[in-house]
Every structure is written in structure tokens, then in C-alpha cells.
Amino acid sequence: MISFFIKRLLLLIPVFLAVSLVIFMIVHLVPGDPIDNLVQINSSPEQKAALAAKYGLDKPLYQQYTIWLGNALTGDLGDAIILRRPVADLIAQNLPHSLSLGALALLFSTVVGITAGALAAIYKDSWIDRVTMTLILLGSTVPGFWLGLLLIMLFAVQLGWFPVSGARSWDALVLPVLTIGLGGVALVARVTRVAMIETARKDFVMMLHAKGVPPWRIELRHVLRHALLPVVTILSLRIGWILGGAVTVEFVFARPGLGSLLITSLNQRDYPVVQGALLMLAVAVMLGTLLGDIVQAAMDPRVRERIK
């Protein structure tokens, strides 16, 4: 198992380098100059050149990339051009809000999605299956930002049950968690249903039925357990997706977090902050994939054999 972990970890190194290069190039190809937000209207070209030299923006792009990557590998993401604070401090200040939102949304989508998918598979072709899959289809087609606005209008403005925005209390998490989590419920439920239906057709399940094992025990103890392998893969990929999806949701609900920090920095053309925030999201996706591979290998030895 240790060798499997080391091999998977080594495979992430070229992925990290490629992602960091893509992030750096995309950010620097965006029109606009962050120096324009620092200088006054009548500033001379010499003053602009001095500020550009101060933040290293006068160097060629390949030199800027190598310097930024080398510093990032040591934990130094540079200083924000507009806020004039270390980027690592800004990320550390906003990351806990995004992590709490993402963790609760992932937990919600996992529990509700697996439960809905299992019910739809157990009662296949019944009214329970049809109603569940219809609701899942509707949930998967609604954009997150639009769903967030609907929830604000209904539960915050009309009913007054939850705050409209902010992160001052626990109830301010309810609507953002529902907004992010409902989209994941549809995906997890569909994968769970399909996996359970396919597993129920295997020979060992037929043998359990022939031995007289109660159907509920077969479905919950055997079919569901074997069907969780593809679900684990989906959940591992959703770790990064949820943090990325929180970008728009945090902006809609005016919550602090990586999303709000990223959008504000994009509007200000603050390269170091945008690069640092995007790099954190990319690392979250890679770590989620690594975690999913490890869990899959622990659950199924065939995964480890394929790597060997």
C-alpha cells in the first residue's frame, strides 16, 4: 500500500507543474495591468516602471514563472499588489470559510445522494424510482448561482428563516450548503443507482438470494458496499469541484472565502493573489484525486494490481 501511495504521489508532480504553468499563463494573458490600480492618473511612466520593477512585472514571463514557482514550492506565494499583504496570509484567512462550506456541502451531497440512489435502485421501475430520478434530473439542470438566488428570495427574504449574506453565525451556512450540495446530490444518486443495479445482476448476489438471505440485507450489506467504488471516485473528484463551485456561491451570498478573494482579485488584476487562489484550488483537486485512489485501493485490491 505504501508503494502504491508513493507511485500515485509521484504521478502528481508533472500534473502540478503543468497546471501551475497553465494558471500562470492564463492570468498574465488577461487584459489589464495591476499597476494602473496603484498609480495616480497623472503618474509618469518612470513611476509605473518603478512599481513594475518592485513587483517583478518588468521581467520576461518565463523568468516571472520560474521565480513564482520556486517561491511557491517553499510556501511563499508573494505579496498582493493591491492589498499589499502576503498572499499566503490572505489565503489562510479565507480558506477556513471555504473548507467549512465545502466539507458540509460534500457531506450533504454524499448522504442524500447515496440514500436517494439506493432507494431508486432497490425500488427500480416503481413510482419511488421515477419520482426520485425526476427530482434528481431537475436538480442537476439548475445552475448553482440561480438556485442560490431562489433560496435567498424564498427562505431569507420572504420567510426570514436564514440570513441573506455573511458568515456571522451557523445558520448563514444553511443556504450556501444547500446551493452547492443539491447539485452534487444528482450526480452521486445517479452513479449509486446505476452501480447498484449492475451489482445486483452479478452471480454472487444470485447465490445470496438462493441461500435465503433477506433482500434488505443483500441490498445494504453486499450490493451497496460493492457499488460504492465508483461513488468514491466521484466523491474524490467533487472535493476540488466543490471548492471551485464555491467561488460563485460565496459571491452570491457575500461570504468570505477563496471565491470572494478570487473574484475581487480578478477585478483588480492582482496577479499574485489570483495565481495563489487558483493554485490552491488545483491542489485541492489533485489531493482529492489522490485520496480517492487511496480509498479505492484500500477497498479493492485489484486497483493496486493494475498500478503494479
Side-chain angles (χ1 to χ4, degrees):
M1 191 67 184
I2 297 178
S3 62
F4 173 83
F5 172 76
I6 294 175
K7 289 179 181 179
R8 298 302 299 172
L9 191 62
L10 291 176
L11 289 175
L12 291 181
I13 295 177
V15 177
F16 174 81
L17 295 176
V19 169
S20 66
L21 179 60
V22 171
I23 290 174
F24 181 86
M25 294 306 299
I26 289 178
V27 170
H28 281 75
L29 290 176
V30 173
D33 189 352
I35 301 301
D36 294 336
N37 295 321
L38 292 176
V39 298
Q40 299 178 356
I41 298 177
N42 297 324
S43 299
S44 63
E46 290 76 12
Q47 292 175 320
K48 292 184 178 181
L51 284 175
K54 176 181 178 182
Y55 292 101
L57 298 177
D58 58 333
K59 296 181 175 64
L61 284 180
Y62 72 91
Q63 289 187 10
Q64 294 184 43
Y65 170 71
T66 54
I67 294 173
W68 172 70
L69 180 61
N71 292 335
L73 292 176
T74 62
D76 181 12
L77 297 175
D79 294 330
I81 297 176
I82 305 301
L83 297 177
R84 301 183 182 182
R85 291 179 54 192
V87 175
D89 291 350
L90 292 173
I91 292 177
Q93 178 182 342
N94 289 274
L95 185 60
H97 297 284
S98 297
L99 288 179
S100 60
L101 176 59
L104 290 175
L106 182 63
L107 177 63
F108 174 81
S109 61
T110 301
V111 174
V112 178
I114 291 178
T115 303
L119 287 175
I122 293 172
Y123 298 99
K124 180 187 174 186
D125 297 329
S126 67
W127 67 269
I128 296 178
D129 182 20
R130 289 192 290 270
V131 171
T132 302
M133 296 311 296
T134 300
L135 293 176
I136 287 172
L137 179 62
L138 292 176
S140 62
T141 56
V142 177
F145 68 89
W146 190 66
L147 178 61
L149 293 175
L150 289 180
L151 293 178
I152 289 175
M153 289 295 297
L154 178 60
F155 294 105
V157 178
Q158 298 294 333
L159 299 177
W161 291 354
F162 304 103
V164 176
S165 61
R168 292 180 296 273
S169 58
W170 67 267
D171 55 350
L173 275 169
V174 175
L175 296 184
V177 166
L178 288 177
T179 302
I180 300 176
L182 286 175
V185 167
L187 179 60
V188 174
R190 287 201 305 269
V191 173
T192 303
R193 178 182 181 275
V194 172
M196 286 188 65
I197 291 175
E198 291 180 352
T199 305
R201 297 170 181 167
K202 295 185 179 297
D203 294 337
F204 79 92
V205 178
M206 302 297 181
M207 185 178 298
L208 291 173
H209 282 290
K211 289 182 177 181
V213 180
W216 65 268
R217 181 176 295 179
I218 295 175
E219 294 290 344
L220 297 180
R221 291 192 58 183
H222 300 280
V223 175
L224 180 59
R225 186 179 66 180
H226 284 79
L228 286 180
L229 282 175
V231 177
V232 169
T233 302
I234 294 298
L235 292 176
S236 63
L237 294 176
R238 281 193 57 79
I239 294 176
W241 185 91
I242 281 180
L243 287 178
V247 171
T248 56
V249 173
E250 288 174 353
F251 187 74
V252 169
F253 288 92
R255 288 182 53 84
L258 280 182
S260 300
L261 177 65
L262 179 59
I263 292 178
T264 302
S265 302
L266 277 172
N267 292 331
Q268 297 173 340
R269 304 296 190 272
D270 200 333
Y271 295 155
V273 181
V274 176
Q275 291 169 179
L278 290 177
L279 191 64
M280 285 298 302
L281 295 176
V283 169
V285 174
M286 290 186 287
L287 293 180
T289 305
L290 177 63
L291 179 62
D293 290 340
I294 294 174
V295 174
Q296 269 195 326
M299 296 174 63
D300 188 355
R302 294 172 297 179
V303 176
R304 299 195 297 270
E305 293 298 327
R306 285 199 297 267
I307 295 296
K308 293 180 181 179

